């Protein structure tokens, strides 16, 4: 998508701190971290949110969750624990309309974060 922020990150038009990448996904550090570890996992195919899942294959979707686990491992929080969040729509305060999964950890999580 031409003006989608995360598509622009995928194209390298906007710099990002890469954490992990595979055929279907890209993961990078959130610019405004809400926890000691805060990364975003995105599919390389643009869909707006979980409501747009029809635009992804099951393989692409599964790859997102595998990537979340891999990011947690690479960031060293897989044993200590982490949270995966995907905000969908206005009431969830979704601000970037390209499906993404927040991977949060590195500290005790209290209230809903991200
Ligand atoms: P949302 O509110 O849509 O669930 O999450 C969007 C996330 O994207 C926010 O946590 C925000 O900090 C992050 N974000 C927004 N713009 C940028 C950017 O240019 N680079 C990076 N790395 N993260 C961004
Ligand atoms: Zn996009």
């Amino acid at each position: 998508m031409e003006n989608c922020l995360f598509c622009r990150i995928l194209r390298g038009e906007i710099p990002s701190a890469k954490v992990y990448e595979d055929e279907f996904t890209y993961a990078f550090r959130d610019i405004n971290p809400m926890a000691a570890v805060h990364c975003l996992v995105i599919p390389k195919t643009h869909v707006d949110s979980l409501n747009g899942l029809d635009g992804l294959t099951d393989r692409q979707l599964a790859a997102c969750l595998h990537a979340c686990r891999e990011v947690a491992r690479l960031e060293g929080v897989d044993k200590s624990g982490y949270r995966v969040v995907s905000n969908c729509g206005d009431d969830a305060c979704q601000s970037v309309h390209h499906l993404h999964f927040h991977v949060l950890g590195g500290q005790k999580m209290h209230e809903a974060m991200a």
Side-chain angles (χ1 to χ4, degrees):
M1 286 260 293
E2 186 72 21
N3 288 320
C4 167
L5 177 67
F6 288 171
C7 284
R8 295 190 68 199
I9 283 178
L10 281 170
R11 291 197 296 267
E13 294 170 10
I14 295 172
S16 63
K18 174 176 159 178
V19 174
Y20 172 78
E21 182 173 16
D22 62 31
E23 183 180 356
F24 301 112
T25 71
Y26 182 71
F28 54 104
R29 294 188 200 289
D30 196 292
I31 204 167
N32 182 27
M34 304 290 283
V37 170
H38 187 174
C39 299
L40 300 171
V41 171
I42 63 176
K44 288 185 173 176
T45 297
H46 177 98
V47 292
D48 285 357
S49 70
L50 285 170
N51 280 342
L53 278 194
D54 290 348
L56 291 183
T57 64
D58 288 349
R59 192 160 175 223
Q60 288 171 318
L61 174 60
C64 289
L65 292 182
H66 283 286
C68 289
R69 183 187 64 172
E70 188 60 9
V71 165
R73 193 185 68 75
L74 290 167
E75 294 291 295
V77 299
D78 55 324
K79 305 276 193 312
S80 52
Y82 58 99
R83 182 175 286 170
V84 176
V85 175
S86 188
N87 295 318
C88 181
D90 289 345
D91 280 357
C93 301
Q94 182 181 4
S95 61
V96 179
H97 294 273
H98 179 129
L99 176 63
H100 53 280
F101 297 87
H102 299 259
V103 179
L104 299 141
Q107 63 183 71
K108 196 78 178 173
M109 309 295 287
H110 300 289
E111 303 290 317
M113 288 174 125

